[in-house]
Amino acid sequence: MVRLHVKRGDESQFLLEVAGSARLADLAPLVARIYNGRLKVQRLCSEMEELAEHGVFLPYNMQGLTEEQIEELKLKDEWAEKCVPSGGSVFKKDEIGRRNGHAPNEKMQQVIKKTIEEAKALISRKQVQANVCVNMEMVKDALDQLRGAVMIVYPMGLPPHDPVRMEFEDKEDLSGTHAGLEVIEESEAQLWWAGKELKETKLLSDYVGKNEKTTIIVKIQKKLEEDDDDSFLNAEWADNHALKRQFHGVKDIKWGPR
């Protein structure tokens, strides 16, 4: 199996093992699927931290309003009584006015927080340092763990407008957000290696050869993005003058102040 060290820009994302015979028309969408799945897990963890701290999402027409304004406008959160956490709630006001402040009790908070830690660990970039490969099954496992924790704490479910529920139902609206810019649609995904686009009409082995025990660094990006990875130009094998310098016994001379 060929090991791909997937990066986005200069940042490591994950390791993935694939057969050298893999078609790049299939491989680029797979890498994008895992990449986007990890982003979904991260978004969910962030929103679930808020869920544990401040309860469920308020209806959009009540968000950011003071209690006086809500009373004056005669607004009511119809979901507050339906979506009560197991064991009752404790009030912890959400200062930015997104969530209703009826947080789960300490025990239920810990269920959510512990699951968040476990899910984050599964898809963490630290898996690269630990030499652990990530696949789509691991991403699904992380999502299932998070979904299970929410079902334990909120057996009656969450409001349809809560970002946590919307993420689980793949109804999240990321338009106009930084999170939305991070997502790479599978149909727009491209892989680059050593400054070259890996063409979807070819096999991975067309680029890396038949060695199934090699590791390469690939970058995932959207089509039409410019790849500016010229780091391979600094490699000794890419330096036309390296052999000549070695012949003369001159190597790595630096001019100017140090």
Side-chain angles (χ1 to χ4, degrees):
M1 300 290 277
V2 176
R3 179 166 291 193
L4 306 182
H5 178 169
V6 180
K7 288 189 171 185
R8 173 74 163 130
D10 292 326
E11 292 188 336
S12 293
Q13 300 294 323
F14 56 92
L15 301 177
L16 174 66
E17 283 190 337
V18 294
S21 58
R23 295 171 62 246
L24 285 157
D26 300 325
L27 184 55
L30 171 63
V31 173
R33 203 172 309 137
I34 296 172
Y35 171 80
N36 292 333
R38 290 172 67 254
L39 291 177
K40 177 183 277 287
V41 171
Q42 291 163 7
R43 292 194 304 270
L44 266 165
C45 287
S46 178
E47 284 295 349
M48 284 175 63
E49 285 170 358
E50 293 298 312
L51 177 67
E53 288 292 323
H54 303 294
V56 301
F57 221 56
L58 283 166
Y60 295 115
N61 64 343
M62 293 177 66
Q63 289 183 23
L65 300 180
T66 64
E67 291 178 17
E68 291 77 15
Q69 288 172 321
I70 289 172
E71 193 173 327
E72 186 179 332
L73 293 168
K74 295 183 172 61
L75 299 176
K76 185 180 179 183
D77 181 6
E78 296 179 358
W79 294 95
E81 295 175 5
K82 299 177 186 177
C83 305
V84 178
S86 294
S89 63
V90 291
F91 190 74
K92 191 172 181 184
K93 186 178 179 181
D94 181 4
E95 296 298 337
I96 59 175
R98 292 170 78 237
R99 295 184 172 273
N100 69 8
H102 297 289
N105 62 32
E106 182 63 28
K107 183 181 176 182
M108 291 295 105
Q109 282 187 27
Q110 288 308 312
V111 168
I112 293 177
K113 290 176 180 179
K114 185 172 183 291
T115 307
I116 286 172
E117 287 178 14
E118 292 170 352
K120 280 183 175 179
L122 267 177
I123 55 91
S124 170
R125 291 176 182 171
K126 291 180 181 177
Q127 296 281 51
V128 174
Q129 301 163 10
N131 212 28
V132 174
C133 291
V134 173
N135 53 40
M136 201 59 216
E137 285 67 35
M138 292 169 71
V139 173
K140 288 178 180 175
D141 190 20
L143 291 170
D144 286 344
Q145 288 182 26
L146 294 171
R147 185 182 287 106
V150 171
M151 289 174 68
I152 289 170
V153 180
Y154 286 93
M156 303 299 290
L158 297 174
H161 54 270
D162 194 295
V164 174
R165 176 171 167 177
M166 292 176 77
E167 286 282 2
F168 284 135
E169 295 179 351
D170 294 326
K171 294 177 180 177
E172 68 273 19
D173 181 10
L174 304 179
S175 55
T177 66
H178 175 69
L181 296 176
E182 291 182 314
V183 173
I184 298 176
E185 297 296 335
E186 292 180 28
S187 60
E188 297 178 0
Q190 280 184 337
L191 297 179
W192 288 69
W193 172 57
K196 293 180 291 188
E197 178 195 345
L198 304 184
K199 302 286 187 182
E200 61 182 19
T201 54
K202 293 183 175 290
L203 305 178
L204 183 59
S205 58
D206 292 334
Y207 293 94
V208 303
K210 301 295 184 182
N211 184 358
E212 288 279 334
K213 292 187 177 180
T214 191
T215 298
I216 64 170
I217 295 176
V218 297
K219 289 192 174 184
I220 183 171
Q221 64 182 46
K222 298 176 184 178
K223 287 177 183 174
L224 305 179
E225 278 184 348
E226 191 74 26
D227 182 77
D228 59 358
D229 180 16
D230 57 359
S231 58
F232 73 102
L233 295 174
N234 297 322
E236 199 165 283
W237 56 264
D239 186 348
N240 292 331
H241 302 290
L243 190 60
K244 186 176 179 181
R245 284 205 305 272
Q246 285 181 341
F247 182 77
H248 290 290
V250 180
K251 189 177 180 183
D252 293 336
I253 293 178
K254 290 184 171 61
W255 300 97
R258 298 208 173 190

